[in-house]
Amino acid sequence: NAGVTQTPKFQVLKTGQSMTLQCAQDMNHNSMYWYRQDPGMGLRLIYYSASEGTTDKGEVPNGYNVSRLNKREFSLRLESAAPSQTSVYFCASSEQLGSYNEQFFGPGTRLTVL
Amino acid sequence: AQSVSQHNHHVILSEAASLELGCNYSYGGTVNLFWYVQYPGQHLQLLLKYFSGDPLVKGIKGFEAEFIKSKFSFNLRKPSVQWSDTAEYFCAVNVNNQGGKLIFGQGTELSVKP
């Protein structure tokens, strides 16, 4: 099992450009998450999907959109990138959306917006 | 709003020294508690978790944590660190009545000198 995979690993964008970060999991998990990690701020939840067909905002959703394409895949889209979106983005999944479910993380995408 | 505080931002230790990383949270209800570790260049991995029962929990690689409800704390400990423990450590809290969303602390970077 590959677990949670993310593409690309690195990306450099210019302000105003758009891009989609891809995430896939092969653990048959129902719930998936997108976080951003910034120095000194830990991980902050951007969006999550409790199950296929549903998405909800997290703590910092502005400037992002998501799509739960199917049970395996959960993508994050930046429509018009801004320097403030320079960060490391992590996708995660868990069996269910519930307090007792461990989240499994992908390797991350390091995004720089110039 | 709920928050998680990790007071040590960067800890430097020599090999064989003892480690204690602090974690405090602000929510007064029932919580589930986690410690994740991120080794250089790798994704987050679960070290240990507390849901209920014995407040002293043991995790992988010789780590343990103690839940002290009266102090709203979940400190991570290891009696003798190794160079390979160099990593960033994140405390996270999951509030039972708010689904599976994790709230992360700011992270503590641990550097172990050989």
Side-chain angles (χ1 to χ4, degrees), chain A:
Chain A
N1 285 353
V4 180
T5 57
Q6 293 181 234
T7 55
K9 285 188 168 53
F10 301 94
Q11 184 72 49
V12 178
L13 293 177
K14 294 181 180 177
T15 297
Q17 287 185 315
S18 63
M19 80 161 295
T20 300
L21 282 65
Q22 306 287 355
C23 173
Q25 52 89 12
D26 62 2
M27 296 174 281
N28 202 34
H29 285 170
N30 288 297
S31 301
M32 298 184 74
Y33 315 81
W34 275 106
Y35 293 90
R36 58 177 290 172
Q37 182 185 22
D38 301 293
M41 302 187 75
L43 277 76
R44 292 179 292 169
L45 183 64
I46 304 171
Y47 270 94
Y48 66 101
S49 169
S51 60
E52 186 179 353
T54 69
T55 61
D56 284 289
K57 295 178 180 179
E59 183 185 352
V60 288
N62 290 347
Y64 305 95
N65 285 301
V66 289
S67 295
R68 183 73 183 267
L69 304 169
N70 47 55
K71 191 171 185 179
R72 289 187 64 249
E73 298 172 289
F74 188 39
S75 63
L76 178 73
R77 183 160 178 84
L78 287 71
E79 290 290 352
S80 179
S84 61
Q85 294 178 305
T86 293
S87 188
V88 181
Y89 291 85
F90 288 98
C91 178
S93 71
S94 65
E95 195 169 324
Q96 300 287 350
L97 182 70
S99 304
Y100 300 97
N101 289 275
E102 176 187 348
Q103 292 185 20
F104 295 82
F105 286 81
T109 295
R110 187 174 295 273
L111 175 67
T112 301
V113 183
L114 302 174

Side-chain angles (χ1 to χ4, degrees), chain B residues 51-89:
Chain B
F51 290 162
S52 62
D54 188 345
L56 183 63
V57 293
K58 296 192 184 299
I60 60 172
K61 305 188 180 186
F63 286 91
E64 65 179 30
E66 185 175 12
F67 171 51
I68 303 180
K69 190 174 182 179
S70 60
K71 294 185 178 180
F72 299 92
S73 70
F74 189 54
N75 291 356
L76 181 71
R77 300 196 292 247
K78 186 171 184 178
S80 175
V81 295
Q82 301 172 316
W83 176 78
S84 58
D85 293 324
T86 294
E88 191 156 16
Y89 293 81

Side-chain angles (χ1 to χ4, degrees), chain B residues 11-114:
Chain B
V11 173
I12 302 173
L13 295 173
S14 297
E15 274 194 316
S18 63
L19 170 72
E20 180 160 3
L21 301 182
C23 173
N24 288 89
Y25 60 93
S26 64
Y27 187 68
T30 303
V31 295
N32 298 318
L33 300 155
F34 304 80
W35 275 98
Y36 281 86
V37 61
Q38 185 178 27
Y39 297 104
Q42 297 188 28
H43 56 88
L44 275 79
Q45 304 170 44
L46 184 68
L47 262 184
L48 48 79
K49 59 189 176 186
Y50 172 79
F51 290 162
S52 62
D54 188 345
L56 183 63
V57 293
K58 296 192 184 299
I60 60 172
K61 305 188 180 186
F63 286 91
E64 65 179 30
E66 185 175 12
F67 171 51
I68 303 180
K69 190 174 182 179
S70 60
K71 294 185 178 180
F72 299 92
S73 70
F74 189 54
N75 291 356
L76 181 71
R77 300 196 292 247
K78 186 171 184 178
S80 175
V81 295
Q82 301 172 316
W83 176 78
S84 58
D85 293 324
T86 294
E88 191 156 16
Y89 293 81
F90 293 93
C91 181
V93 173
N94 184 311
V95 179
N96 273 6
N97 67 359
Q98 297 201 8
K101 289 177 282 185
L102 283 175
I103 302 169
F104 282 85
Q106 304 93 322
T108 297
E109 186 177 346
L110 172 65
S111 299
V112 180
K113 298 184 293 184

